[in-house]
Amino acid sequence: MGGRPVSHRSAADVPDGFHLETEICVIGSGAGGGLAAGYLAEQGHSVVLLEEGQRVTASQMTQREEQMYPLLYRDGGSQMTADGGISVLQGRAVGGSTVINMADVVPIPPGVVQHWAQRFGVDRFSQADWDRAAGLAKAAIGANLIPADQLNDNARILLRGGQALGVSGAAFQHNRVGCIGSGYCLVGCAYDAKKGTHLTWIPRGLATGNMLLQSQARVTRLTWGGGRVRLAHGHLVDAQQRSLRPFTVKAERYILAAGAIHSPLILQASKLGGAQVGKHLSLQPQAPVSARFPQPVRMFRGIPQAAYLDGMETCTAEQGLGGFRIESVSATPGMAAASGVGWGPGLLEQFRAYDRLAAALCLVPDRPVGEVRLSGGRPVIAYPFGEETKHRLRSSIRLASEVFLSQGAECVFAPLVGLGPITSSADLELIDRAPLRPASIQLISAHPQGTCRMGPDPDTSVVDLDFRVHGVENLQVLDASVFPTTASSHTMLPVMQAALLGCGA
C-alpha cells in the first residue's frame, strides 16, 4: 500500500485480505492501544491500528441487550473461567472496554507504585511520572467528579448506609460529558457522552492523516527473528467472529494491547515472552448484592455506578492494594438476571419488584494467582480461589447486606447459592456458613490484569521496565497485563497511565 494510511477500513473494504507496511503497528484499540495509536500519530508517526471488533457508532447502539452484547462484548458477554465460576467481561469493538465500561476514573494509588518498586523492582517511573500521566489522560477523556445532583437513589442509599455504619465513601470521577442518565452504559452510550478511546484518542489520531484504523482484524501471531518482530499475522473476521481472509502487517515497531486475556495468547502462539507469559493473573472478582425496598429505587436510571464505599480498602507499600470496596451498580435486566442469584420462581419474584431493587458490587483486589493459556485457538482462564480472597468476599457481602438493611431494605439477596433472602441482622451469620467454591457464588470480573508481568528479570517477568518484551527490541505490551499486581479498583485510567509512559509522554 503506497502513501500514508489515512482512514478507517472494515473487513468488507478488503475482502481479499491485505498486506501493509508501516512504522508502528498497534494491536488492540482499548484504553492502551487506542491511546497509544492516537498519541503516536499526533507525534508524527505512521500508525496502523488493528482491532478485532467492529467500529460501532452511537446511531448503531440500540440499547437492546440481544443486539448489543453480541456486537460489543467478547463472546457476547459469555466468556468464563474454566470452572464456570467467574464471568470475565471484556469489550470487543473499536475502543475496546472503554465503550462498555462504567466510566469510572481511578488512578494507580501511591501505595501500589511503592509496592511494585519494593517487591518487583518496577522503579523506572516515579510517583510524579505516574501522576503526570494520569493528568494527561484525564484531560483527554474529560474526567470530572460526578455532581451530587446526578447521584441516583441507588447511589444515595449506599452512601447513606455507609455513613450510618461509619464507613467512608464518595462519588466517583468519571469520563462522561453531557450524560443524560439513560442508564444503558453497559451496552454502549447512544449519546456519545462516555468519552472512551473511540471518541477521543482514536479520532485524534485519524485526524492527523498518519493513521489507518483497520477493524474486524484478529491478530493471531507474530513472526520474529534476530531479536525483532518481523510480521503480524491474522485473519479478518465477520460479525459472528468467523475467520475470513488472512492479512499481514510489517512494521518497525509493534505495540501489543489486546488485554490481559488475549495479549498473552498472542505471545504464546508466537513463542515469545518466556515461561512467565500467561501467569500471575488477577481477576479482581466482584460479587453482586441486591436488596428489595418498600419504595421505588429505579437503579436502572441515572449513572449506574456513581458512588463507592472505600473505608475497608487498604493500600500499603508492603502489601499493595487490599481489603475491599463496595460500589453502587445497576445492569440491564438480562445482565442482572445472569449475574444475580435465584432462578425460577425466586428470580421471577425479584424481577416483579425490579423498580424497588437496589444493587451494589463488592470488589476484591485479589492476589495474582490465575493463569491464561492457549488451547485450540481460545483462552483457558484458570483461577483458583485463595483463602484470603474468600474471606474478603464474605466480609464484603456481609457489609453490603448490613448497609442495605440499615436503610430499610425488606430483604437482601446475597450471591451465594442456597442462601435465601436476608431479612434481618440475625441472618447475616448465614453468609459466614454458606459454601464458597467455584460456581457456588455468582461473580464477575471486568478488570483482568497481570499475565505479561513487568519486571527487570526475564526469569520472573515478561516485559522490562520500558514495557518491551524481554529479548525483543521492537515489541512493547501496553495494557493491563503488565501490572505486577492489581493496579487500582478500576483499570481504565491505570492502563492509560502505563500507555502514555510507554509511549514516552
Side-chain angles (χ1 to χ4, degrees):
M1 175 178 164
R4 295 191 303 174
V6 295
S7 63
H8 164 244
R9 303 188 317 196
S10 69
D13 297 315
V14 280
D16 296 324
F18 62 88
H19 171 74
L20 288 174
E21 296 189 15
T22 187
E23 182 185 354
I24 301 173
C25 174
V26 180
I27 302 164
S29 66
L35 182 153
Y39 176 84
L40 292 169
E42 288 189 327
Q43 301 306 304
H45 300 283
S46 177
V47 179
V48 170
L49 175 59
L50 302 174
E51 166 56 48
E52 181 178 350
Q54 300 180 60
R55 192 181 194 187
V56 184
T57 63
S59 63
Q60 296 170 282
M61 294 179 182
T62 63
Q63 301 182 344
R64 295 193 62 86
E65 294 180 89
E66 74 277 12
Q67 296 171 350
M68 302 316 297
Y69 284 115
L71 184 61
L72 297 177
Y73 280 73
R74 172 78 54 185
D75 292 344
S78 63
Q79 181 174 255
M80 303 286 290
T81 53
D83 59 14
I86 304 177
S87 175
V88 184
L89 302 174
Q90 291 183 287
R92 181 182 175 270
V94 172
S97 292
T98 71
V99 178
I100 50 88
N101 68 12
M102 289 294 201
D104 300 312
V105 176
V106 186
I108 304 172
V112 169
V113 173
Q114 295 164 13
H115 180 59
W116 290 352
Q118 293 182 17
R119 173 66 177 80
F120 300 96
V122 177
D123 57 4
R124 176 63 50 85
F125 302 107
S126 67
Q127 184 64 53
D129 293 327
W130 289 106
D131 289 345
R132 176 174 48 81
L136 291 172
K138 288 166 71 173
I141 62 175
N144 63 97
L145 180 66
I146 297 175
D149 62 2
Q150 286 191 353
L151 297 177
N152 62 10
D153 285 343
N154 190 42
R156 293 190 181 102
I157 286 171
L158 183 75
L159 292 175
R160 287 198 304 265
Q163 186 176 28
L165 298 177
V167 181
S168 62
F172 274 106
Q173 282 202 338
H174 66 160
N175 62 313
R176 298 177 187 87
V177 178
C179 176
I180 69 167
S182 72
Y184 286 95
C185 298
L186 284 176
V187 289
C189 180
Y191 312 97
D192 278 349
K194 185 164 51 176
K195 304 303 181 182
T197 58
H198 61 303
L199 296 178
T200 54
W201 288 102
I202 293 172
R204 284 170 57 168
L206 293 173
T208 67
N210 297 329
M211 184 171 127
L212 170 68
L213 167 62
Q214 176 67 61
S215 61
Q216 297 180 272
R218 176 191 293 149
V219 174
T220 54
R221 63 188 176 95
L222 307 170
T223 51
W224 55 281
R228 293 181 62 84
V229 172
R230 304 297 180 179
L231 280 177
H233 300 258
H235 286 83
L236 295 164
V237 293
D238 63 14
Q240 287 72 46
Q241 303 186 31
R242 295 174 297 202
S243 294
L244 303 173
R245 301 292 294 174
F247 67 84
T248 56
V249 179
K250 181 179 181 180
E252 299 172 22
R253 174 182 173 188
Y254 293 83
I255 293 174
L256 180 57
I261 303 301
H262 290 269
S263 282
L265 300 189
I266 292 172
L267 292 180
Q268 289 171 357
S270 309
K271 296 180 170 54
L272 284 168
Q276 297 300 310
V277 173
K279 299 184 184 300
H280 314 296
L281 171 68
S282 294
L283 284 182
Q284 204 173 80
Q286 302 170 42
V289 177
S290 60
R292 188 178 70 227
F293 281 80
Q295 75 279 5
V297 176
R298 298 189 181 92
M299 65 173 180
F300 46 83
R301 288 290 178 257
I303 296 173
Q305 194 163 294
Y308 60 89
L309 303 179
D310 63 350
M312 306 302 291
E313 192 173 75
T314 63
C315 189
T316 66
E318 292 72 29
Q319 298 295 324
L321 196 62
F324 61 85
R325 65 162 52 194
I326 302 171
E327 302 175 348
S328 65
V329 74
S330 70
T332 49
M335 178 68 77
S339 60
V341 294
W343 53 85
L347 188 61
L348 181 60
E349 180 187 357
Q350 289 184 47
F351 272 76
R352 280 176 173 156
Y354 196 56
D355 68 335
R356 294 191 284 128
L357 291 181
L361 276 178
C362 304
L363 188 151
V364 173
D366 56 336
R367 303 303 175 193
V369 297
E371 182 177 359
V372 178
R373 63 182 184 274
L374 185 66
S375 177
R378 290 188 55 78
V380 175
I381 307 170
Y383 185 83
F385 270 107
E387 290 303 315
E388 180 187 359
T389 300
K390 290 181 181 180
H391 172 71
R392 285 194 272 153
L393 278 168
R394 288 185 191 277
S395 299
S396 63
I397 292 168
R398 179 166 180 147
L399 181 58
S401 301
E402 289 183 84
V403 165
F404 286 137
L405 290 174
S406 76
Q407 297 305 295
E410 295 175 339
C411 60
V412 176
F413 304 100
L416 296 157
V417 172
L419 184 65
I422 295 168
T423 59
S424 69
S425 58
D427 294 334
L428 293 173
E429 64 182 40
L430 298 175
I431 295 171
D432 301 326
R433 298 203 301 264
L436 205 166
R437 55 183 181 270
S440 73
I441 178 173
Q442 300 287 337
L443 295 173
I444 65 171
S445 168
H447 312 137
Q449 301 166 70
T451 50
C452 300
R453 173 179 279 181
M454 175 185 283
D457 184 354
D459 289 334
T460 59
S461 60
V462 176
V463 302
D464 65 19
L465 302 189
D466 291 313
F467 303 92
R468 290 190 179 89
V469 173
H470 289 294
V472 187
E473 62 182 88
N474 68 334
L475 173 60
Q476 288 180 298
V477 181
L478 298 179
D479 58 31
S481 69
V482 304
F483 298 145
T485 63
T486 295
S488 179
S489 59
H490 293 269
T491 52
M492 177 177 64
L493 184 59
V495 169
M496 290 182 173
Q497 291 175 268
L500 282 166
L501 293 178
C503 290

